[in-house]
Amino acid sequence: MTMQLEHIGESDSSHHPAPSAYVGVAAILAIVTAAEIGLYYVSNVDAWLITVSLLVLMAIKFFLVAMWFMHLRFETQVFRRLFYGGLALAVAAYAVVLGASHVFPFWA
Amino acid sequence: MWAFLGSECLFFGALISTYLLYRGRSAEGPLPSDVYDIPFTSVSSFVLLMSSLAMVLAVAAIYRGDERRMRIWLTTTALLGMVFVGGQVFEFTEFVRQGLKLDTNLFGSSFFVLTGFHGAHVTAGVLWLLSLVGYSLRRGIGPEKAIAVDVAGLYWHFVDVVWIVIFTVVYLVPQ
C-alpha cells in the first residue's frame, strides 16, 4: 500500500493503449448505443425482457468506459477499490430502498 | 479524484433512485411518453460518448508530449460538451412548452433535478477543460504535468458514465 501511494501523481505513459484502441472502444460504444435505441422500438417482446437487455447493454457501456477511458484496468488497486466501493455502496443502498418501496415488480 | 467519484456515485445514485421511486406515480401529466423525443436524446447521447473519445485522445496526446494535439482534443471535448448542454437546454425548454415544469408533478421534479444536476456537472467540466486549454496556451503543459489532464479526464468520463445510466434508466426502459 505504501509503495502504491508513493507512485500516485507520477505520469506513466507506458500503461496507455494506442489511440486506435480508444477509437475501437468508441466504435463498440456507438454500436451498443444503437442496439439500445433499437431495443426501445421493439414492441413484440415482454417489457421485463427489454428492461433486462437494456440494463445489460448499459452495464457493458459503463464498464467499457470505466476500464478503458478511465484507465481503471491500469490503475493501482486502491483506486479501483475506492471507485467500486462507492459504486457498490450506492447500488446496494438504493436497491434496498427501492425494493422496500415496492419499485421492483419481482420484489413485492 | 477517485474518492470524489466514489462519492458522486452516491449522489447520482440518490437522484436516480428518487426518479425510480416516483416513476409511474404522478397524479397527472405530462408523462414521459408525452414529452420524450428519443431520436433527439439519442443524438445527444452519441455526442457525449464521442466527447469521451476526444477526452481520452487528449490525455493520450499529452502523455506522448504532444501538447498541441492535446489542446485540439481538449477543445473538441469542450465543444461537444457544449453541444450536449445546448441539447439539454433545448429539451428542457420544449418540455416546459409542453407543460412539464419542475413543480408540475413527481415526474417533472425528479426528471429536472436529475438531468439538471447532470447538466451542471457537464457545464463545470466544460469550464474546467477550457481553463486547461488556456493554461496550456499561457504556461504550457508538459508530460510531467499530464496528471492534471488525466484527472480532468476522469471527471469527464464519469459524467459520461452517469449519462449512460440516465439515458437507459430514464429514457429507454419501458414505463
Side-chain angles (χ1 to χ4, degrees):
Chain A
M1 179 82 149
T2 305
M3 282 186 64
Q4 289 173 338
L5 288 175
E6 281 174 354
H7 293 290
I8 289 174
E10 289 179 3
S11 65
D12 181 1
S13 60
S14 65
H15 286 168
H16 293 267
S20 57
Y22 294 129
V23 174
V25 172
I28 294 172
L29 288 169
I31 291 168
V32 174
T33 303
E36 280 185 314
I37 295 163
L39 265 178
Y40 175 80
Y41 290 105
V42 170
S43 55
N44 300 330
V45 179
D46 286 342
W48 70 266
L49 187 59
I50 293 178
T51 301
V52 168
S53 302
L54 283 170
L55 293 178
V56 167
L57 292 175
M58 178 192 78
I60 290 171
K61 287 167 64 178
F62 183 101
F63 284 106
L64 271 176
V65 173
M67 299 296 264
W68 282 88
F69 286 179
M70 297 173 83
H71 302 135
L72 202 54
R73 59 198 297 253
F74 306 118
E75 289 287 358
T76 56
Q77 221 172 31
V78 64
F79 293 139
R80 281 204 292 269
R81 284 178 183 168
L82 275 170
F83 182 71
Y84 285 136
L87 182 64
L89 191 59
V91 170
Y94 298 122
V96 167
V97 169
L98 292 173
S101 303
H102 308 293
V103 168
F104 304 124
F106 54 81
W107 187 349
Chain B
M1 177 55 72
W2 283 112
F4 171 67
L5 295 184
S7 71
E8 286 277 85
C9 285
L10 286 163
F11 175 71
F12 278 104
L15 296 181
I16 292 170
S17 297
T18 304
Y19 176 86
L20 290 175
L21 203 59
Y22 287 159
R23 214 166 80 123
R25 300 185 187 199
S26 294
E28 56 184 13
L31 300 177
S33 55
D34 300 326
V35 295
Y36 282 167
D37 183 350
I38 298 301
F40 179 83
T41 314
S42 303
V43 172
S44 278
S45 302
F46 181 76
V47 166
L48 199 62
L49 263 180
M50 292 304 107
S51 75
S52 256
L53 172 62
M55 185 70 230
V56 78
L57 290 176
V59 173
I62 194 57
Y63 273 119
R64 285 196 317 266
D66 191 342
E67 191 180 356
R68 181 177 166 273
R69 201 164 290 270
M70 176 209 71
R71 281 199 294 266
I72 291 171
W73 284 121
L74 278 183
T75 306
T76 303
T77 308
L79 283 173
L80 289 173
M82 284 190 270
V83 168
F84 175 82
V85 172
Q88 288 294 93
V89 169
F90 173 77
E91 189 178 57
F92 285 9
T93 54
E94 273 299 296
F95 286 9
V96 169
R97 195 180 60 79
Q98 294 177 50
L100 182 72
K101 298 177 190 173
L102 190 65
D103 57 354
T104 301
N105 54 18
L106 293 176
F107 165 57
S109 57
S110 57
F111 173 83
F112 281 120
V113 169
L114 170 59
T115 55
F117 265 110
H118 178 264
H121 278 70
V122 175
T123 304
V126 168
L127 294 174
W128 188 352
L129 296 178
L130 291 176
S131 70
L132 275 175
V133 173
Y135 187 91
S136 169
L137 286 169
R138 278 186 56 193
R139 298 193 181 179
I141 296 177
E144 72 284 355
K145 289 186 188 170
I147 192 73
V149 183
D150 206 345
V151 167
L154 287 179
Y155 176 85
W156 190 263
H157 296 311
F158 180 77
V159 162
D160 184 28
V161 152
V162 170
W163 183 254
I164 285 172
V165 177
I166 290 175
F167 181 54
T168 302
V169 169
V170 172
Y171 288 89
L172 296 184
V173 166
Q175 297 294 326

mmCIF file of all heavy atoms in Angstrom, chain A residues 23-59:
data_model
loop_
_atom_site.group_PDB
_atom_site.id
_atom_site.type_symbol
_atom_site.label_atom_id
_atom_site.label_comp_id
_atom_site.label_asym_id
_atom_site.label_seq_id
_atom_site.Cartn_x
_atom_site.Cartn_y
_atom_site.Cartn_z
ATOM 1 N N VAL A 23 -10.313 4.436 -30.273
ATOM 2 C CA VAL A 23 -11.281 4.582 -31.360
ATOM 3 C C VAL A 23 -12.102 3.303 -31.495
ATOM 4 O O VAL A 23 -13.320 3.345 -31.702
ATOM 5 C CB VAL A 23 -10.574 4.926 -32.691
ATOM 6 C CG1 VAL A 23 -11.564 4.927 -33.839
ATOM 7 C CG2 VAL A 23 -9.892 6.280 -32.594
ATOM 8 N N GLY A 24 -11.439 2.173 -31.349
ATOM 9 C CA GLY A 24 -12.134 0.882 -31.406
ATOM 10 C C GLY A 24 -13.170 0.756 -30.296
ATOM 11 O O GLY A 24 -14.301 0.315 -30.523
ATOM 12 N N VAL A 25 -12.780 1.168 -29.085
ATOM 13 C CA VAL A 25 -13.721 1.116 -27.954
ATOM 14 C C VAL A 25 -14.903 2.055 -28.205
ATOM 15 O O VAL A 25 -16.056 1.706 -27.932
ATOM 16 C CB VAL A 25 -13.004 1.491 -26.639
ATOM 17 C CG1 VAL A 25 -14.000 1.635 -25.493
ATOM 18 C CG2 VAL A 25 -11.972 0.430 -26.290
ATOM 19 N N ALA A 26 -14.612 3.237 -28.751
ATOM 20 C CA ALA A 26 -15.681 4.193 -29.051
ATOM 21 C C ALA A 26 -16.641 3.616 -30.091
ATOM 22 O O ALA A 26 -17.866 3.830 -30.009
ATOM 23 C CB ALA A 26 -15.098 5.509 -29.546
ATOM 24 N N ALA A 27 -16.110 2.901 -31.063
ATOM 25 C CA ALA A 27 -16.968 2.270 -32.083
ATOM 26 C C ALA A 27 -17.886 1.230 -31.438
ATOM 27 O O ALA A 27 -19.080 1.154 -31.748
ATOM 28 C CB ALA A 27 -16.105 1.624 -33.164
ATOM 29 N N ILE A 28 -17.333 0.453 -30.514
ATOM 30 C CA ILE A 28 -18.150 -0.543 -29.808
ATOM 31 C C ILE A 28 -19.235 0.153 -28.994
ATOM 32 O O ILE A 28 -20.393 -0.279 -28.972
ATOM 33 C CB ILE A 28 -17.267 -1.415 -28.886
ATOM 34 C CG1 ILE A 28 -16.309 -2.260 -29.716
ATOM 35 C CG2 ILE A 28 -18.127 -2.317 -28.000
ATOM 36 C CD1 ILE A 28 -15.271 -3.006 -28.899
ATOM 37 N N LEU A 29 -18.870 1.253 -28.327
ATOM 38 C CA LEU A 29 -19.854 2.007 -27.547
ATOM 39 C C LEU A 29 -20.976 2.517 -28.445
ATOM 40 O O LEU A 29 -22.161 2.488 -28.067
ATOM 41 C CB LEU A 29 -19.185 3.181 -26.839
ATOM 42 C CG LEU A 29 -18.273 2.829 -25.667
ATOM 43 C CD1 LEU A 29 -17.467 4.051 -25.223
ATOM 44 C CD2 LEU A 29 -19.087 2.301 -24.494
ATOM 45 N N ALA A 30 -20.625 2.997 -29.629
ATOM 46 C CA ALA A 30 -21.634 3.503 -30.559
ATOM 47 C C ALA A 30 -22.565 2.378 -31.008
ATOM 48 O O ALA A 30 -23.788 2.563 -31.081
ATOM 49 C CB ALA A 30 -20.953 4.152 -31.766
ATOM 50 N N ILE A 31 -22.003 1.213 -31.279
ATOM 51 C CA ILE A 31 -22.815 0.068 -31.716
ATOM 52 C C ILE A 31 -23.762 -0.370 -30.598
ATOM 53 O O ILE A 31 -24.950 -0.646 -30.831
ATOM 54 C CB ILE A 31 -21.901 -1.102 -32.150
ATOM 55 C CG1 ILE A 31 -21.175 -0.742 -33.447
ATOM 56 C CG2 ILE A 31 -22.708 -2.388 -32.341
ATOM 57 C CD1 ILE A 31 -20.063 -1.684 -33.814
ATOM 58 N N VAL A 32 -23.236 -0.434 -29.383
ATOM 59 C CA VAL A 32 -24.081 -0.840 -28.243
ATOM 60 C C VAL A 32 -25.189 0.188 -28.009
ATOM 61 O O VAL A 32 -26.337 -0.169 -27.718
ATOM 62 C CB VAL A 32 -23.229 -1.021 -26.972
ATOM 63 C CG1 VAL A 32 -24.100 -1.305 -25.758
ATOM 64 C CG2 VAL A 32 -22.239 -2.158 -27.161
ATOM 65 N N THR A 33 -24.869 1.468 -28.179
ATOM 66 C CA THR A 33 -25.884 2.518 -28.029
ATOM 67 C C THR A 33 -26.965 2.354 -29.086
ATOM 68 O O THR A 33 -28.163 2.479 -28.800
ATOM 69 C CB THR A 33 -25.245 3.911 -28.142
ATOM 70 O OG1 THR A 33 -24.223 4.038 -27.152
ATOM 71 C CG2 THR A 33 -26.280 5.010 -27.921
ATOM 72 N N ALA A 34 -26.552 2.070 -30.317
ATOM 73 C CA ALA A 34 -27.520 1.848 -31.394
ATOM 74 C C ALA A 34 -28.415 0.653 -31.070
ATOM 75 O O ALA A 34 -29.629 0.680 -31.330
ATOM 76 C CB ALA A 34 -26.788 1.627 -32.712
ATOM 77 N N ALA A 35 -27.823 -0.394 -30.500
ATOM 78 C CA ALA A 35 -28.611 -1.571 -30.113
ATOM 79 C C ALA A 35 -29.632 -1.205 -29.030
ATOM 80 O O ALA A 35 -30.783 -1.665 -29.070
ATOM 81 C CB ALA A 35 -27.678 -2.677 -29.601
ATOM 82 N N GLU A 36 -29.210 -0.379 -28.070
ATOM 83 C CA GLU A 36 -30.137 0.066 -27.010
ATOM 84 C C GLU A 36 -31.322 0.819 -27.614
ATOM 85 O O GLU A 36 -32.477 0.594 -27.246
ATOM 86 C CB GLU A 36 -29.407 1.023 -26.055
ATOM 87 C CG GLU A 36 -28.533 0.363 -25.019
ATOM 88 C CD GLU A 36 -27.963 1.372 -24.045
ATOM 89 O OE1 GLU A 36 -27.472 2.428 -24.500
ATOM 90 O OE2 GLU A 36 -28.004 1.119 -22.850
ATOM 91 N N ILE A 37 -31.012 1.724 -28.534
ATOM 92 C CA ILE A 37 -32.076 2.526 -29.146
ATOM 93 C C ILE A 37 -32.984 1.620 -29.978
ATOM 94 O O ILE A 37 -34.215 1.779 -29.979
ATOM 95 C CB ILE A 37 -31.464 3.648 -30.011
ATOM 96 C CG1 ILE A 37 -30.695 4.613 -29.107
ATOM 97 C CG2 ILE A 37 -32.538 4.397 -30.782
ATOM 98 C CD1 ILE A 37 -29.724 5.512 -29.834
ATOM 99 N N GLY A 38 -32.402 0.646 -30.643
ATOM 100 C CA GLY A 38 -33.206 -0.303 -31.406
ATOM 101 C C GLY A 38 -34.148 -1.080 -30.501
ATOM 102 O O GLY A 38 -35.312 -1.303 -30.835
ATOM 103 N N LEU A 39 -33.641 -1.480 -29.325
ATOM 104 C CA LEU A 39 -34.475 -2.213 -28.370
ATOM 105 C C LEU A 39 -35.676 -1.378 -27.925
ATOM 106 O O LEU A 39 -36.761 -1.917 -27.664
ATOM 107 C CB LEU A 39 -33.644 -2.572 -27.131
ATOM 108 C CG LEU A 39 -32.997 -3.950 -27.108
ATOM 109 C CD1 LEU A 39 -32.176 -4.117 -25.841
ATOM 110 C CD2 LEU A 39 -34.047 -5.056 -27.198
ATOM 111 N N TYR A 40 -35.484 -0.082 -27.813
ATOM 112 C CA TYR A 40 -36.563 0.808 -27.383
ATOM 113 C C TYR A 40 -37.773 0.697 -28.305
ATOM 114 O O TYR A 40 -38.925 0.800 -27.874
ATOM 115 C CB TYR A 40 -36.064 2.252 -27.330
ATOM 116 C CG TYR A 40 -37.131 3.266 -27.021
ATOM 117 C CD1 TYR A 40 -37.555 3.480 -25.719
ATOM 118 C CD2 TYR A 40 -37.712 4.020 -28.041
ATOM 119 C CE1 TYR A 40 -38.539 4.409 -25.434
ATOM 120 C CE2 TYR A 40 -38.692 4.949 -27.759
ATOM 121 C CZ TYR A 40 -39.104 5.148 -26.461
ATOM 122 O OH TYR A 40 -40.082 6.056 -26.186
ATOM 123 N N TYR A 41 -37.492 0.466 -29.598
ATOM 124 C CA TYR A 41 -38.588 0.440 -30.573
ATOM 125 C C TYR A 41 -39.157 -0.955 -30.788
ATOM 126 O O TYR A 41 -40.090 -1.128 -31.564
ATOM 127 C CB TYR A 41 -38.107 1.029 -31.899
ATOM 128 C CG TYR A 41 -37.872 2.516 -31.827
ATOM 129 C CD1 TYR A 41 -36.581 3.036 -31.771
ATOM 130 C CD2 TYR A 41 -38.938 3.409 -31.781
ATOM 131 C CE1 TYR A 41 -36.352 4.400 -31.674
ATOM 132 C CE2 TYR A 41 -38.728 4.777 -31.692
ATOM 133 C CZ TYR A 41 -37.429 5.258 -31.636
ATOM 134 O OH TYR A 41 -37.223 6.616 -31.549
ATOM 135 N N VAL A 42 -38.617 -1.964 -30.111
ATOM 136 C CA VAL A 42 -39.152 -3.323 -30.231
ATOM 137 C C VAL A 42 -40.462 -3.395 -29.467
ATOM 138 O O VAL A 42 -40.563 -2.974 -28.315
ATOM 139 C CB VAL A 42 -38.139 -4.350 -29.674
ATOM 140 C CG1 VAL A 42 -38.781 -5.724 -29.557
ATOM 141 C CG2 VAL A 42 -36.906 -4.404 -30.550
ATOM 142 N N SER A 43 -41.498 -3.968 -30.102
ATOM 143 C CA SER A 43 -42.807 -3.946 -29.461
ATOM 144 C C SER A 43 -43.377 -5.332 -29.175
ATOM 145 O O SER A 43 -44.308 -5.465 -28.417
ATOM 146 C CB SER A 43 -43.796 -3.168 -30.337
ATOM 147 O OG SER A 43 -43.817 -3.741 -31.634
ATOM 148 N N ASN A 44 -42.817 -6.390 -29.756
ATOM 149 C CA ASN A 44 -43.419 -7.720 -29.615
ATOM 150 C C ASN A 44 -42.793 -8.551 -28.501
ATOM 151 O O ASN A 44 -42.991 -9.756 -28.450
ATOM 152 C CB ASN A 44 -43.277 -8.491 -30.938
ATOM 153 C CG ASN A 44 -43.980 -7.775 -32.086
ATOM 154 O OD1 ASN A 44 -44.970 -7.086 -31.867
ATOM 155 N ND2 ASN A 44 -43.452 -7.928 -33.281
ATOM 156 N N VAL A 45 -42.041 -7.906 -27.639
ATOM 157 C CA VAL A 45 -41.321 -8.626 -26.586
ATOM 158 C C VAL A 45 -41.787 -8.105 -25.236
ATOM 159 O O VAL A 45 -42.151 -6.934 -25.093
ATOM 160 C CB VAL A 45 -39.795 -8.404 -26.743
ATOM 161 C CG1 VAL A 45 -39.023 -9.130 -25.653
ATOM 162 C CG2 VAL A 45 -39.337 -8.871 -28.115
ATOM 163 N N ASP A 46 -41.788 -8.999 -24.243
ATOM 164 C CA ASP A 46 -42.177 -8.589 -22.891
ATOM 165 C C ASP A 46 -41.297 -7.442 -22.393
ATOM 166 O O ASP A 46 -40.095 -7.411 -22.635
ATOM 167 C CB ASP A 46 -42.026 -9.766 -21.920
ATOM 168 C CG ASP A 46 -43.133 -10.785 -22.111
ATOM 169 O OD1 ASP A 46 -44.164 -10.430 -22.721
ATOM 170 O OD2 ASP A 46 -42.966 -11.931 -21.651
ATOM 171 N N ALA A 47 -41.942 -6.550 -21.641
ATOM 172 C CA ALA A 47 -41.225 -5.363 -21.151
ATOM 173 C C ALA A 47 -40.068 -5.736 -20.236
ATOM 174 O O ALA A 47 -39.017 -5.100 -20.252
ATOM 175 C CB ALA A 47 -42.199 -4.444 -20.416
ATOM 176 N N TRP A 48 -40.242 -6.797 -19.424
ATOM 177 C CA TRP A 48 -39.177 -7.159 -18.479
ATOM 178 C C TRP A 48 -37.934 -7.617 -19.228
ATOM 179 O O TRP A 48 -36.808 -7.350 -18.810
ATOM 180 C CB TRP A 48 -39.648 -8.245 -17.497
ATOM 181 C CG TRP A 48 -39.844 -9.604 -18.110
ATOM 182 C CD1 TRP A 48 -41.007 -10.119 -18.601
ATOM 183 C CD2 TRP A 48 -38.835 -10.610 -18.313
ATOM 184 N NE1 TRP A 48 -40.786 -11.374 -19.104
ATOM 185 C CE2 TRP A 48 -39.477 -11.717 -18.941
ATOM 186 C CE3 TRP A 48 -37.484 -10.688 -18.031
ATOM 187 C CZ2 TRP A 48 -38.791 -12.885 -19.277
ATOM 188 C CZ3 TRP A 48 -36.793 -11.852 -18.373
ATOM 189 C CH2 TRP A 48 -37.462 -12.932 -18.990
ATOM 190 N N LEU A 49 -38.151 -8.304 -20.382
ATOM 191 C CA LEU A 49 -37.011 -8.791 -21.170
ATOM 192 C C LEU A 49 -36.250 -7.613 -21.794
ATOM 193 O O LEU A 49 -35.019 -7.593 -21.817
ATOM 194 C CB LEU A 49 -37.497 -9.749 -22.252
ATOM 195 C CG LEU A 49 -36.421 -10.473 -23.065
ATOM 196 C CD1 LEU A 49 -35.524 -11.290 -22.139
ATOM 197 C CD2 LEU A 49 -37.063 -11.399 -24.106
ATOM 198 N N ILE A 50 -37.025 -6.634 -22.270
ATOM 199 C CA ILE A 50 -36.387 -5.439 -22.832
ATOM 200 C C ILE A 50 -35.623 -4.696 -21.740
ATOM 201 O O ILE A 50 -34.507 -4.222 -21.948
ATOM 202 C CB ILE A 50 -37.448 -4.514 -23.473
ATOM 203 C CG1 ILE A 50 -38.045 -5.194 -24.706
ATOM 204 C CG2 ILE A 50 -36.841 -3.169 -23.856
ATOM 205 C CD1 ILE A 50 -39.134 -4.408 -25.383
ATOM 206 N N THR A 51 -36.225 -4.603 -20.569
ATOM 207 C CA THR A 51 -35.581 -3.903 -19.445
ATOM 208 C C THR A 51 -34.262 -4.570 -19.087
ATOM 209 O O THR A 51 -33.231 -3.900 -18.936
ATOM 210 C CB THR A 51 -36.506 -3.881 -18.223
ATOM 211 O OG1 THR A 51 -37.725 -3.235 -18.569
ATOM 212 C CG2 THR A 51 -35.855 -3.172 -17.057
ATOM 213 N N VAL A 52 -34.284 -5.893 -18.938
ATOM 214 C CA VAL A 52 -33.062 -6.626 -18.572
ATOM 215 C C VAL A 52 -31.998 -6.444 -19.662
ATOM 216 O O VAL A 52 -30.826 -6.209 -19.366
ATOM 217 C CB VAL A 52 -33.378 -8.119 -18.345
ATOM 218 C CG1 VAL A 52 -32.095 -8.929 -18.258
ATOM 219 C CG2 VAL A 52 -34.197 -8.306 -17.078
ATOM 220 N N SER A 53 -32.428 -6.540 -20.924
ATOM 221 C CA SER A 53 -31.475 -6.391 -22.036
ATOM 222 C C SER A 53 -30.855 -4.994 -22.029
ATOM 223 O O SER A 53 -29.638 -4.838 -22.234
ATOM 224 C CB SER A 53 -32.180 -6.632 -23.375
ATOM 225 O OG SER A 53 -32.765 -7.912 -23.400
ATOM 226 N N LEU A 54 -31.690 -3.980 -21.786
ATOM 227 C CA LEU A 54 -31.178 -2.604 -21.747
ATOM 228 C C LEU A 54 -30.188 -2.431 -20.597
ATOM 229 O O LEU A 54 -29.152 -1.769 -20.760
ATOM 230 C CB LEU A 54 -32.341 -1.616 -21.584
ATOM 231 C CG LEU A 54 -33.161 -1.330 -22.844
ATOM 232 C CD1 LEU A 54 -34.414 -0.532 -22.485
ATOM 233 C CD2 LEU A 54 -32.338 -0.572 -23.868
ATOM 234 N N LEU A 55 -30.495 -3.011 -19.464
ATOM 235 C CA LEU A 55 -29.596 -2.876 -18.312
ATOM 236 C C LEU A 55 -28.269 -3.594 -18.564
ATOM 237 O O LEU A 55 -27.205 -3.116 -18.149
ATOM 238 C CB LEU A 55 -30.269 -3.416 -17.041
ATOM 239 C CG LEU A 55 -31.475 -2.604 -16.546
ATOM 240 C CD1 LEU A 55 -32.094 -3.264 -15.315
ATOM 241 C CD2 LEU A 55 -31.073 -1.171 -16.224
ATOM 242 N N VAL A 56 -28.319 -4.727 -19.251
ATOM 243 C CA VAL A 56 -27.084 -5.447 -19.592
ATOM 244 C C VAL A 56 -26.224 -4.599 -20.539
ATOM 245 O O VAL A 56 -25.012 -4.447 -20.345
ATOM 246 C CB VAL A 56 -27.407 -6.818 -20.221
ATOM 247 C CG1 VAL A 56 -26.165 -7.429 -20.855
ATOM 248 C CG2 VAL A 56 -27.984 -7.765 -19.178
ATOM 249 N N LEU A 57 -26.868 -4.027 -21.559
ATOM 250 C CA LEU A 57 -26.132 -3.178 -22.502
ATOM 251 C C LEU A 57 -25.568 -1.951 -21.789
ATOM 252 O O LEU A 57 -24.447 -1.506 -22.067
ATOM 253 C CB LEU A 57 -27.049 -2.752 -23.660
ATOM 254 C CG LEU A 57 -27.481 -3.878 -24.608
ATOM 255 C CD1 LEU A 57 -28.474 -3.355 -25.645
ATOM 256 C CD2 LEU A 57 -26.284 -4.503 -25.303
ATOM 257 N N MET A 58 -26.357 -1.395 -20.868
ATOM 258 C CA MET A 58 -25.898 -0.238 -20.095
ATOM 259 C C MET A 58 -24.655 -0.601 -19.286
ATOM 260 O O MET A 58 -23.690 0.160 -19.230
ATOM 261 C CB MET A 58 -27.014 0.214 -19.150
ATOM 262 C CG MET A 58 -26.632 1.375 -18.261
ATOM 263 S SD MET A 58 -27.847 1.636 -16.949
ATOM 264 C CE MET A 58 -27.418 0.336 -15.809
ATOM 265 N N ALA A 59 -24.687 -1.780 -18.676
ATOM 266 C CA ALA A 59 -23.545 -2.224 -17.869
ATOM 267 C C ALA A 59 -22.301 -2.427 -18.744
ATOM 268 O O ALA A 59 -21.188 -2.088 -18.343
ATOM 269 C CB ALA A 59 -23.894 -3.522 -17.136
#
